[in-house]
Amino acid sequence: MLRRFLFAAVLILVLTGCSRDQRILERVGYIETAAFDAAPENKIKATVSIPLVSQYARDGKTTDELLSTIASSPKQAREALSLRTSRIIASGQIRTFLIGEELARRGFWPYLDTFLRDPSISIRTSMVVVEGDAGKIISQEYPRHTKTANYINKLLQKEYSIQSLPRTSLYEFTRDYFDDGEDPIAALVLEKEKDITISGIALMRDDRMIAKLPWEDVYLFMLLYSNLQEGEFTLTTEHPDLKAISVNAVKSKRRIVITKNTSGDYEANIYLKIYGSVDEYIGNAKLSTSERTKVEKLVSEHIVSEALRVIKTMQRHRTDGIGLGKYVRNSMSYDEWKKTDWHEMFSQLPVKVHCSFYIKQFGSYFD
């Protein structure tokens, strides 16, 4: 009996000691989305979106509490924002970092330091550059959609899942930032009328945005960037046998070969093998006949020419978002690589693209 009493007493003491770690939902402000914009005097404007859960919320729904301040660092901003809310601010639920374009072009790596050191922040948090003011986007309401923080997160996750957009999380951004053979990238979004739309990819050099890749070219970037398992794309041409074609269930394999010519200069060859099912086709050829081979060749040639255009865009801005530098580095000695100015070398690197496209299926309609 005495043992049971002692055990109960110890258990009560243990539970009492743990009471300081309680997180009562109504008293904690979990940040879902954080936006950062450039401010005067080399400062930043931080705007956060916090779901408001209270006994007064109608029908059990949540509303958002929006807070904004100007500070020298994210930590200073958090301290200032904490003084303006009755809840304890917590960062463990952040899903998206929105970076205003002006700040992205100025460089924002120093501001990421605090998030990388915070173990409560997931390295899967999406990195997004906003064309315009990032704080304005999360301050707006979009009646046709769920609350803005969820809207942006679900929009990105959907595109990641169908491989229409490269995954641009805090992990990938940090990995590529420290890799001297590849430059980071970030998703690019834009407020358009009453919606938010993904407008392309922000191309970086180190931590600064250098150029934009429009949405129409993202599928080409995806083919050059990695292997696909379930992608999709649509392309149009002026050729009568290939006015338009939409392909889904795309599986692609990328192979990069670096060679050294007789003069000692490096060259890159990118080999793409693509399989896909035709979802829509507009043209004069009949896919149920041997003319399908002609369409496959036209698609292959179009991808080659357009992929080279995308590569030349990156070379012109001296930013290697597809990671060719890693393959060149592996073909060099350590000392040779360290003496190489990769961004300068990349801008002059001869690159050839080879593509083989194959139609797996073309629907149940036989023309």
Side-chain angles (χ1 to χ4, degrees):
M1 189 70 176
L2 181 59
R3 288 184 178 179
R4 291 183 180 178
F5 175 77
L6 291 174
F7 177 76
V10 170
L11 185 61
I12 291 172
L13 289 173
V14 171
L15 292 175
T16 303
C18 294
S19 63
R20 293 172 61 88
D21 294 331
Q22 289 182 352
R23 287 290 185 267
I24 300 173
L25 190 60
E26 288 82 358
R27 299 179 185 175
V28 179
Y30 289 103
I31 301 174
E32 277 192 330
T33 302
F36 301 96
D37 291 288
E41 299 179 0
N42 211 32
K43 294 185 177 182
I44 57 171
K45 183 182 75 171
T47 307
V48 298
S49 171
I50 305 174
L52 178 62
V53 181
S54 72
Q55 58 182 328
Y56 304 108
R58 296 180 180 179
D59 302 323
K61 295 181 180 179
T62 61
T63 56
D64 284 347
E65 181 178 4
L66 290 167
L67 301 171
S68 181
T69 189
I70 293 177
S72 298
S73 71
K75 278 295 184 188
Q76 187 184 52
R78 176 174 169 168
E79 292 172 1
L81 295 175
S82 179
L83 299 174
R84 295 167 51 190
T85 178
S86 61
R87 294 177 295 162
I88 301 171
I89 293 181
S91 305
Q93 295 298 314
I94 292 182
R95 297 289 180 264
T96 312
F97 288 127
L98 298 177
I99 311 295
E101 183 175 345
E102 184 180 348
L103 179 60
R105 291 190 179 276
R106 192 173 79 184
F108 56 91
W109 176 257
Y111 309 118
L112 293 182
D113 179 82
T114 184
F115 304 121
L116 292 169
R117 295 177 185 273
D118 189 342
S120 69
I121 295 178
S122 172
I123 57 175
R124 293 181 293 179
T125 303
S126 296
M127 298 291 298
V128 180
V129 173
V130 177
E131 294 192 64
D133 191 291
K136 180 182 176 183
I137 277 192
I138 63 171
S139 301
Q140 299 289 333
E141 291 187 0
Y142 301 91
R144 296 188 294 192
H145 306 280
T146 58
K147 60 179 184 175
T148 305
N150 271 345
Y151 173 28
I152 296 172
N153 180 51
K154 290 181 179 179
L155 179 64
L156 292 167
Q157 295 302 323
K158 181 259 294 181
E159 294 300 329
Y160 294 156
S161 66
I162 62 176
Q163 294 188 303
S164 293
L165 184 72
R167 191 172 292 276
T168 58
S169 69
L170 182 60
Y171 166 75
E172 278 90 7
F173 190 93
T174 305
R175 178 198 64 194
D176 297 340
Y177 175 81
F178 284 108
D179 192 328
D180 55 1
E182 183 169 6
D183 289 304
I185 57 173
L188 198 62
V189 302
L190 171 69
E191 183 181 27
K192 191 173 182 180
E193 298 176 356
K194 297 181 180 180
D195 303 297
I196 297 172
T197 182
I198 298 175
S199 55
I201 293 175
L203 299 174
M204 306 280 183
R205 191 187 312 139
D206 296 327
D207 66 332
R208 295 189 302 112
M209 177 178 168
I210 301 299
K212 306 174 186 178
L213 201 63
W215 177 252
E216 294 76 16
D217 292 338
V218 172
Y219 84 92
L220 294 162
F221 183 89
M222 287 294 294
L223 293 172
L224 296 167
Y225 182 71
S226 64
N227 297 335
L228 302 182
Q229 295 299 320
E230 50 181 345
E232 59 183 34
F233 63 82
T234 298
L235 59 85
T236 59
T237 73
E238 298 297 326
H239 198 285
D241 290 334
L242 188 63
K243 294 180 180 179
I245 190 169
S246 293
V247 183
N248 59 22
V250 171
K251 290 189 176 183
S252 70
K253 185 175 181 180
R254 180 196 71 164
R255 185 167 64 94
I256 296 177
V257 177
I258 304 298
T259 58
K260 200 172 185 179
N261 59 30
T262 54
S263 61
D265 296 325
Y266 288 90
E267 298 177 350
N269 284 272
I270 303 176
Y271 296 89
L272 302 174
K273 186 174 287 187
I274 306 168
Y275 297 88
S277 299
V278 176
D279 195 40
E280 179 184 67
Y281 167 71
I282 300 175
N284 296 333
K286 295 182 178 181
L287 299 183
S288 56
T289 68
S290 59
E291 293 181 352
R292 181 171 69 252
T293 305
K294 184 193 300 184
V295 175
E296 291 174 337
K297 184 179 180 182
L298 288 171
V299 172
S300 299
E301 292 173 349
H302 180 81
I303 290 176
V304 167
S305 63
E306 292 299 289
L308 284 172
R309 178 179 57 79
V310 169
I311 291 172
K312 288 186 183 300
T313 297
M314 290 189 288
Q315 288 181 314
R316 186 169 63 253
H317 294 285
R318 297 173 47 177
T319 172
D320 177 19
I322 60 176
L324 282 180
K326 294 187 293 186
Y327 295 87
V328 174
R329 182 180 61 200
N330 292 342
S331 65
M332 290 182 176
S333 68
Y334 177 81
D335 290 336
E336 185 182 1
W337 175 256
K338 284 302 179 181
K339 294 176 183 177
T340 300
D341 181 347
W342 169 239
H343 289 117
E344 178 61 29
M345 180 180 175
F346 173 69
S347 67
Q348 306 295 328
L349 183 72
V351 181
K352 294 180 181 179
V353 178
H354 313 267
C355 179
S356 298
F357 172 75
Y358 303 97
I359 296 174
K360 292 191 299 185
Q361 299 175 355
F362 47 87
S364 59
Y365 171 71
F366 292 88
D367 45 0

